[in-house]
Each structure stands twice: as structure tokens, then as C-alpha cells.
Amino acid sequence: MTPQTALLMSRYNRWMNQAVYEAARTLPGQEVTRDRGAFFGSILQTLNHIAAADLIWLHRFAQHPAATALRAALAGWPAPTSLRQPMAPSLEALEKQRQALDEVIDQWVHTFSPELLADTLSYRNMAGEVHAKHLGSLVQHFFNHQTHHRGQASTLLFQAGVDVGVTDLLAMIPDAA
């Protein structure tokens, strides 16, 4: 992971979140909350999981000594204790939270340097186990996790009759000069 790749992934994250939430808003509320047999059940619960996991990881990342700005940005944000913890009572509220969270992520990745991404982050996972891993690899996992579950959400939306549109990262990669 490089600072440039993190910036690209942050832009992609925001763009895709906007597209998925826009698509979800076209469905009646009962369709967004209907259990569709997916890993997290409904479209809303899948989107909620992404937000909960993002916050779990951001709070871990904020433990790094160089994450002063991220720690400040997360003041007032919950630190979920479960990957299924409800983050908001409705799609509309979750979307507002998602937009604010994407802004926190954007601001955070602008602080990246090659040296920071080469550093190690020590953290505890949900089971309380201590890990020390390469920060750049953890950031890569963070963005990959979002992409994975947004893919599930876009599939659930498609099955409900709503096409999210282009989802390829390629659409965000600028042409070489």
C-alpha cells in the first residue's frame, strides 16, 4: 500500500458508497430491511456491517502514535463491540453517518507517508487477541473489506431490481498522461 493507492481507494470507497446508498434509497423501506438470506441478512444490515467494521478498524488505527488527527476526528464516534452492532436506526441515518465516516477516512489517508505505511500497528482483535501487523497491509485489508461487502450489497440490490451501475475500480484510475 502506498499513500497514492490509499488516496485512490478512499476516493473509490466514497464514490461506491454514494452509488450503493443512492440505489438503496430507491427501494421501499421494507425491501431494504427484508432478510434476503445473505450473510448479514438484509441490505441495511450489510451496509451497517461495513460501517461498524470501519469504525472498529478506525479506532484500532487511531491507536498508532502518529494518528493524532484520526483520534481527534473519531471523538464522539462509537467504538462498536460487535460486527453486527446497529450503527443507525434507518437507511437515511446510516447514509448520513456513512458520508461523515467517509470524510474521516479521506482526511486520515491524506496524512499517509511511505514511512507511516511501512510501520507496525499493534491492536487487539474482537476476541481480545493481540496482533502486530504491517500498517499498510492493514489499510489494504480495510479497503478490501469494504469492497467485498459492498459487492454483496450491490448483488442484493440487483436481486431486488436495482442496478448500482459501474462498480469497477478501473473507473477511478486516471489515464496516464
Side-chain angles (χ1 to χ4, degrees), residues 112-123:
F112 289 179
S113 66
E115 296 78 20
L116 175 65
L117 292 171
D119 206 354
T120 299
L121 177 71
S122 295
Y123 67 94

Side-chain angles (χ1 to χ4, degrees), residues 6-168:
L7 289 168
L8 173 66
M9 294 308 298
S10 181
R11 284 185 29 243
Y12 175 71
N13 171 63
R14 183 187 293 259
W15 176 63
M16 282 310 310
N17 283 334
Q18 289 171 345
V20 167
Y21 278 89
E22 184 177 302
R25 274 190 273 112
T26 68
L27 293 172
Q30 69 271 17
E31 288 300 308
V32 173
T33 59
R34 183 167 67 87
D35 189 333
R36 297 177 176 277
F39 190 76
F40 288 96
S42 69
I43 294 166
L44 181 62
Q45 288 170 322
T46 301
L47 296 175
N48 182 83
H49 165 71
I50 299 168
D54 282 2
L55 280 166
I56 289 166
W57 274 107
L58 287 168
H59 281 287
R60 289 174 183 162
F61 292 136
Q63 295 173 25
H64 190 277
T68 307
L70 180 58
R71 279 191 297 281
L74 288 174
W77 284 90
T81 57
S82 164
L83 293 169
R84 295 179 182 270
Q85 183 173 323
M87 299 282 81
S90 67
L91 179 66
E92 296 76 19
L94 188 61
E95 182 177 16
K96 286 182 182 178
Q97 185 183 69
R98 176 78 262 169
Q99 291 167 347
L101 196 52
D102 286 346
E103 183 60 29
V104 168
I105 294 166
D106 282 347
Q107 294 300 315
W108 174 56
V109 299
H110 276 88
T111 68
F112 289 179
S113 66
E115 296 78 20
L116 175 65
L117 292 171
D119 206 354
T120 299
L121 177 71
S122 295
Y123 67 94
R124 289 186 183 272
N125 68 11
M126 299 297 286
E129 301 164 337
V130 176
H131 294 274
K133 298 189 183 223
H134 181 251
L135 181 61
S137 296
L138 293 173
V139 171
Q140 185 170 357
H141 165 74
F142 173 75
F143 286 118
N144 187 66
H145 178 265
Q146 296 165 1
T147 301
H148 167 70
H149 287 293
R150 268 196 310 271
Q152 291 175 335
S154 68
T155 297
L156 296 174
L157 285 160
F158 188 78
Q159 291 170 348
V162 180
D163 185 359
V164 172
V166 175
T167 61
D168 292 335

